Amino acid sequence: MYGNRRAEQAGASRGTGAGREICPNLSCDHGKYLDLLESVARVQGVKHVFVGSGIRYDLLMTQPDAVLEKVIKRFVGGQMKVAPEHASQKVLELMNKPSWSKYERFRDRFYRITSRLGLKRHVIPYLITSHPGATLEDEKELLEKLEEDGFVPDQVQDFIPLPMTRAGVMYHTRIDPHSNKRVFVAHDRSEKERHFALLRPKQAKYRKLRQKLLGDNKEQRRPPRKRGRRRKPLTKYFSGRYNAPKQGEVNDDL
C-alpha cells in the first residue's frame, strides 16, 4: 500500500480505508509503488527484484491490466502470494476481509494475463485456520472451495492471537468487540488440530483425523451445494500451483 493515501477532504474514521470495501476516497494508484520497485532494481549490484507477498490483491484489482501485467513481468519470480485467508463469509466479516469471490476474480485475471504473456506464474492463497468465529463447518466450506479448483494447499497458518487486534480480543473474550456478540473460538490444542487437519491433506500425521472428520464417503463430507449451474473449474492446481488456463476458461469480462 506504499503511496496510497486518502483524500485530504475525506472525513473517514480510522480503519475504514481498505477493509471489506475500499473507501472511495482512498487513492489506489500503484504508480509510486512501481516507481519504488524500479528504483530498487536500478541499484548497482541488484539483479532481480521480486515481490513474493504483501500486495493487496483487492487494491490491485482497481488498476488497469497494464499495472498487473507489469507486476507479473518484472516483479513476480514464480509465485505471487496473496491473502484471501478464508472462504466463509461469516469468518471473512470477522476478519474484515473482502469476499472470496473477489479473490477468485483476481486469480482469474492473473491467469488470463499470464496466459496471454506466455509466462508460468502462479497465485498462492494464504489461508488461516481456527480464526475466532470459524467452526469446523466453516473450515469445510473453505476446503470445498479449494477442491472445486483442484487446489491442494502446501501451507496453512493456524491462527495466532496478537495483542491490540480485534481478533486477539475475540480469542481471549469470545466476544466480537464490534458487535458485542459471542463468537465460537477454538482454544484447546485438540480442537485447533481438528481445524488444522482439514486443510492439510498432504501431512501424514493428520490423515486419520482428517478421514474421521470428513467421513469415508466423499459426497457426505461436503456441505450441500446450492442448486443451479456449477461453475466449471478454471484449471487444476498441482502441488499448490496452477497450470496456465486454456483459452475460453477465463471470464474475459473481469
Side-chain angles (χ1 to χ4, degrees):
M1 292 180 64
Y2 174 83
N4 291 0
R5 60 184 180 82
R6 230 176 290 175
E8 293 181 3
Q9 69 273 20
S13 60
R14 181 180 182 274
T16 59
R20 290 183 49 75
E21 299 296 335
I22 299 171
C23 174
N25 295 305
L26 180 68
S27 170
C28 298
D29 179 44
H30 282 58
K32 289 185 178 180
Y33 178 65
L34 293 176
D35 289 343
L36 176 64
L37 296 178
E38 292 284 6
S39 65
V40 174
R42 289 194 295 269
V43 173
Q44 186 175 1
V46 175
K47 294 183 178 180
H48 304 287
V49 177
F50 294 138
V51 179
S53 62
I55 290 181
R56 284 285 301 264
Y57 69 89
D58 53 333
L59 298 183
L60 197 53
M61 281 294 286
T62 66
Q63 303 300 293
D65 274 6
V67 174
L68 181 54
E69 184 174 317
K70 186 173 184 179
V71 171
I72 293 170
K73 289 175 67 175
R74 296 277 287 115
F75 305 115
V76 176
Q79 297 181 353
M80 182 177 181
K81 294 183 180 180
V82 296
E85 297 189 1
H86 217 281
S88 166
Q89 188 68 15
K90 178 188 70 178
V91 178
L92 289 170
E93 288 176 359
L94 294 172
M95 292 177 168
N96 199 31
K97 297 283 291 186
S99 66
W100 179 263
S101 62
K102 287 189 177 181
Y103 160 70
E104 290 181 317
R105 291 197 295 272
F106 171 79
R107 181 200 61 198
D108 296 352
R109 188 183 186 193
F110 181 96
Y111 286 110
R112 174 165 57 84
I113 291 174
T114 56
S115 180
R116 186 176 71 235
L117 296 175
L119 298 174
K120 290 185 178 180
R121 302 288 188 269
H122 310 285
V123 172
I124 306 298
Y126 173 78
L127 306 169
I128 292 181
T129 59
S130 301
H131 189 278
T135 64
L136 284 175
E137 291 305 311
D138 294 312
E139 312 295 17
K140 289 177 182 179
E141 182 179 345
L142 172 58
L143 176 63
E144 181 183 6
K145 292 290 186 181
L146 298 176
E147 285 182 334
E148 286 179 354
D149 296 319
F151 180 74
V152 181
D154 283 330
Q155 296 180 336
V156 179
Q157 174 66 53
D158 190 48
F159 173 77
I160 300 175
L162 297 177
M164 307 298 290
T165 63
R166 178 186 179 187
V169 172
M170 287 190 285
Y171 178 81
H172 290 289
T173 67
R174 301 179 189 265
I175 294 176
D176 175 16
H178 286 197
S179 65
N180 287 327
K181 293 181 179 179
R182 294 190 64 83
V183 295
F184 171 83
V185 178
H187 264 146
D188 62 86
R189 183 172 179 176
S190 61
E191 179 67 23
K192 289 173 75 68
E193 280 192 344
R194 285 195 285 271
H195 286 243
F196 193 70
L198 286 173
L199 277 299
R200 293 307 304 270
K202 292 184 178 182
Q203 203 155 336
K205 74 174 187 176
Y206 291 120
R207 192 167 297 155
K208 289 185 178 180
L209 176 58
R210 189 170 186 272
Q211 290 175 347
K212 181 180 179 181
L213 292 169
L214 296 177
D216 295 329
N217 189 323
K218 188 174 182 180
E219 292 305 318
Q220 290 180 355
R221 65 180 175 81
R222 291 189 174 187
R225 296 185 182 277
K226 293 182 180 179
R227 295 194 175 187
R229 184 177 177 183
R230 180 182 175 184
R231 183 177 67 84
K232 182 180 178 181
L234 295 175
T235 181
K236 291 293 182 182
Y237 279 111
F238 61 98
S239 298
R241 300 183 180 181
Y242 257 126
N243 288 317
K246 297 178 182 179
Q247 181 144 9
E249 288 186 323
V250 179
N251 186 353
D252 292 329
D253 294 332
L254 298 172

